[in-house]
């Protein structure tokens, strides 16, 4: 993946650069008009801080490490929620587009000059959980769908030539599937093995709606059922990180604009553990094991040490959260790496190759007209994982689509 890289549509990327440059100029004019004066808009600008907190006299939500009033994106979001200042929303959009233009788009153009390909680094031991990380540039942390400018950044990544098509194999709910092995929760296992939508199931458990009712409305963004399912997704994934009620409350508001009290969020979490008691047992037993042995272990043979005795209460709590997540994420990462290696070997025999991997997603190319590939993919990914991980009580399922570029892959009969 590092040596061959992934091809960049340089012409389209230049068009995106021009579009973003024009949009940023429009936003800057709109912001300055709303402010009534021209102010340096960067997050480190004393001018912006003075304008917001001295001239406008807005409350300071947060301070920097040096003690100055913060003007970062998180702070601006808090201010935009509290005050009716349209320029604050424009400023948030400006910051996001400016980062996209300079950190991603223009940087990609510069890095791909030599051969038209992006050659990032994939770090095998760059994270504590052994999940592959990406750098120079990081292709795993890109806002691929840029709503503020209606641009699809994934579409900028192409196969090596027109003779190939791109495929994206995405492991479905990988970490939650691994959680079934460690928690041995019967309800969670049954949900996966019976093909139920896990988020709909959790939403039914924390609301007055039935599973079928939520599933029927899960695409209707105007419905309360859709809202409950989005909430349930946060709870499902948050439990892997031992998320508390305050953190859940913050995430619901900042990411979904769902406003709940801390007490209500605690009730949601309590209801979750009632629905999946095995998960509560897993968390409790992992904490106890770490406290007694100072390490965690995984089914795939990894250990992670935690010298908890050396830390205070807040750091110990953080260590417990890391331990609970480490077992799940490390195991999930190992299984995906097995899939990546098996798929790589299979692709070499058919004239294809892996392009990039983004956490639980593997992006690869194959020559056009290759024929049905799903039987082989199921053998490699689903059956291969079952053979390597007989302790996994649920099927290792995946979704796959294909298309002319990374941003336009669609599921179809493969």
């Amino acid at each position: 993946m590092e040596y061959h890289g992934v091809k960049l549509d340089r012409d389209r990327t230049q068009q995106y650069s021009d579009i973003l440059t024009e949009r940023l100029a429009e936003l800057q004019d709109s912001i300055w008009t709303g402010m009534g004066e021209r102010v340096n808009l960067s997050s480190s600008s004393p001018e912006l801080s003075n304008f917001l907190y001295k001239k406008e006299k807005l409350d300071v939500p947060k301070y920097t490490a040096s003690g100055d009033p913060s003007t970062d994106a998180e702070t601006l979001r808090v201010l935009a929620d509290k005050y009716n200042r349209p320029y604050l929303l424009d400023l948030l959009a400006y910051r996001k587009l400016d980062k996209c233009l300079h950190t991603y788009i223009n940087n990609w153009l510069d890095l791909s000059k030599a051969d038209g390909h992006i050659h990032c680094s994939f770090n095998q031991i760059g994270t504590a959980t052994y999940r592959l990380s990406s750098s120079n540039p990081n292709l795993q942390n890109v806002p691929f769908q840029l709503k503020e400018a209606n641009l699809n950044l994934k579409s900028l990544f192409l196969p090596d030539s027109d003779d190939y098509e791109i495929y994206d194999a995405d492991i479905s709910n990988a970490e939650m599937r691994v959680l079934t092995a460690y928690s041995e929760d019967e309800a969670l296992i049954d949900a996966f093995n019976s093909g139920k939508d896990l988020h709909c199931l959790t939403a039914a458990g924390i609301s007055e709606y039935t599973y079928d009712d939520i599933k029927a409305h899960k695409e209707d963004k105007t419905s309360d059922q859709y809202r409950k399912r989005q909430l349930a997704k946060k709870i499902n994934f948050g439990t892997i990180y031992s998320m508390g009620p305050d953190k859940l409350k913050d995430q619901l508001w900042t990411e979904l604009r769902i406003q709940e009290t801390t007490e209500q969020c605690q009730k949601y979490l309590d209801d979750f553990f009632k629905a999946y008691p095995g998960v509560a047992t897993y968390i409790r037993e992992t904490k106890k094991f770490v406290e007694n042995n100072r390490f965690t272990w995984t089914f795939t043979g990894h250990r992670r040490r935690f010298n908890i005795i050396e830390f205070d209460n807040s750091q110990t709590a953080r260590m417990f959260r890391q331990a609970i997540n480490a077992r799940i994420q490390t195991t999930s990462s190992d299984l995906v790496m097995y899939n990546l290696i098996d798929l790589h070997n299979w692709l070499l025999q058919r004239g294809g190759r892996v392009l990039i991997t983004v956490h639980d997603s593997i992006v690869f190319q194959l020559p056009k007209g290759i024929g049905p590939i799903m039987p082989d993919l199921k053998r490699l990914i689903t059956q291969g994982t079952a053979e390597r991980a007989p302790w996994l009580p649920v099927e290792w399922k995946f979704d796959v689509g294909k298309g002319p570029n990374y941003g336009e892959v669609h599921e179809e009969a493969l």
Side-chain angles (χ1 to χ4, degrees):
M1 289 188 290
E2 292 177 344
Y3 179 79
H4 292 287
V6 57
K7 186 176 180 181
L8 184 73
D9 188 334
R10 287 178 53 82
D11 291 339
R12 194 170 186 179
T13 304
Q14 184 60 59
Q15 292 175 5
Y16 278 22
S17 178
D18 296 339
I19 291 170
L20 287 173
T21 300
E22 182 178 347
R23 179 67 180 132
L24 281 167
E26 293 172 354
L27 281 169
Q28 181 176 258
D29 288 342
S30 176
I31 294 165
W32 283 346
T33 299
M35 288 179 165
E37 60 182 275
R38 295 193 171 197
V39 175
N40 187 324
L41 303 180
S42 72
S43 59
S44 60
S45 165
E47 288 182 32
L48 180 59
S49 178
N50 289 336
F51 177 85
L52 294 175
Y53 302 120
K54 292 184 178 180
K55 183 173 182 178
E56 293 283 271
K57 300 188 184 305
L58 306 183
D59 292 334
V60 182
K62 188 175 72 170
Y63 290 88
T64 65
S66 60
D68 297 321
S70 174
T71 57
D72 64 11
E74 180 184 348
T75 302
L76 293 177
R77 195 171 292 110
V78 172
L79 292 174
D81 290 337
K82 187 173 182 179
Y83 297 100
N84 183 23
R85 304 285 200 281
Y87 66 78
L88 290 171
L89 293 175
D90 285 342
L91 187 52
L92 277 168
Y94 179 90
R95 287 274 183 83
K96 186 172 183 179
L97 296 187
D98 185 65
K99 178 180 179 179
C100 182
L101 176 63
H102 295 100
T103 303
Y104 305 127
I105 299 298
N106 288 348
N107 192 34
W108 292 347
L109 284 170
D110 185 56
L111 291 171
S112 63
K113 282 180 181 177
D115 62 357
H117 286 62
I118 296 287
H119 299 267
C120 69
S121 297
F122 287 98
N123 313 300
Q124 297 184 72
I125 53 172
T127 65
T129 58
Y130 296 94
R131 170 181 267 184
L132 277 185
S133 61
S134 171
S135 59
N136 302 317
N138 183 357
L139 294 182
Q140 297 183 335
N141 192 32
V142 178
F144 283 117
Q145 190 65 41
L146 197 62
K147 297 178 182 178
E148 291 81 357
N150 195 28
L151 299 178
N152 182 351
L153 272 62
K154 278 188 178 182
S155 66
L156 299 176
F157 296 98
L158 305 173
D160 288 339
S161 73
D162 292 339
D163 296 328
Y164 296 91
E165 289 178 301
I166 278 185
Y167 296 76
D168 182 13
D170 186 23
I171 310 301
S172 174
N173 292 315
E175 292 183 354
M176 293 298 290
R177 290 178 188 276
V178 167
L179 179 59
T180 64
Y182 287 110
S183 69
E184 298 181 333
D185 186 89
E186 294 181 3
L188 202 58
I189 293 170
D190 179 68
F192 280 118
N193 285 339
S194 59
K196 291 180 180 177
D197 183 305
L198 183 63
H199 305 315
C200 289
L201 190 65
T202 298
I206 62 171
S207 71
E208 67 278 13
Y209 300 109
T210 65
Y211 171 83
D212 291 335
D213 191 18
I214 291 175
K215 188 175 181 180
H217 294 86
K218 73 175 188 176
E219 303 297 337
D220 181 6
K221 295 183 179 181
T222 64
S223 68
D224 188 50
Q225 291 92 327
Y226 173 85
R227 176 178 172 275
K228 284 294 193 294
R229 185 178 182 275
Q230 294 300 107
L231 192 156
K233 285 177 70 174
K234 289 296 176 189
I235 295 172
N236 282 341
F237 294 123
T239 54
I240 299 173
Y241 299 92
S242 293
M243 179 175 59
D246 290 329
K247 182 68 173 179
L248 176 59
K249 177 185 175 183
D250 290 343
Q251 283 194 7
L252 292 178
W253 176 247
T254 57
E255 298 178 26
L256 301 176
R257 284 300 182 265
I258 296 176
Q259 192 165 20
E260 298 283 8
T261 64
T262 301
E263 292 74 21
Q264 182 60 58
C265 287
Q266 182 62 62
K267 186 178 184 306
Y268 286 141
L269 294 174
D270 291 342
D271 289 343
F272 173 88
F273 289 119
K274 287 178 184 177
Y276 308 112
V279 178
T281 301
Y282 161 72
I283 292 173
R284 184 171 59 253
E285 291 183 349
T286 298
K287 286 182 178 180
K288 184 177 180 181
F289 186 90
V290 173
E291 191 172 26
N292 292 333
N293 299 282
R294 307 289 189 259
F295 72 88
T296 56
W297 57 272
T298 71
F299 286 127
T300 49
H302 284 293
R303 287 189 179 191
R304 181 174 174 185
R305 297 183 185 279
F306 292 96
N307 296 319
I308 294 175
I309 196 170
E310 300 174 5
F311 298 101
D312 60 27
N313 289 339
S314 64
Q315 290 174 314
T316 298
R318 180 169 60 87
M319 291 290 179
F320 280 143
R321 290 194 297 270
Q322 290 177 345
I324 292 162
N325 171 252
R327 301 179 74 190
I328 299 167
Q329 193 172 98
T330 300
T331 306
S332 171
S333 300
D334 284 345
L335 294 182
V336 173
M337 282 298 292
Y338 287 137
N339 299 153
L340 182 67
I341 294 166
D342 289 343
L343 182 59
H344 163 77
N345 293 330
W346 181 82
L347 288 168
L348 287 180
Q349 300 171 15
R350 289 158 180 80
R353 71 178 182 89
V354 176
L355 302 178
I356 56 175
T357 178
V358 181
H359 303 315
D360 302 329
S361 173
I362 303 172
V363 183
F364 59 96
Q365 67 179 29
L366 277 169
K368 290 180 177 177
I370 196 72
I373 65 170
M374 280 304 292
D376 284 340
L377 290 184
K378 285 182 178 179
R379 176 179 56 81
L380 290 169
I381 297 176
T382 302
Q383 295 176 22
T385 300
E387 292 169 3
R388 278 199 174 94
W391 39 263
L392 189 66
V394 298
E395 191 175 51
W396 194 245
K397 293 188 68 174
F398 64 95
D399 301 311
V400 63
K402 73 172 180 178
N405 58 61
Y406 184 23
E408 298 177 44
V409 292
H410 303 287
E411 292 184 35
E412 55 183 272
L414 301 178

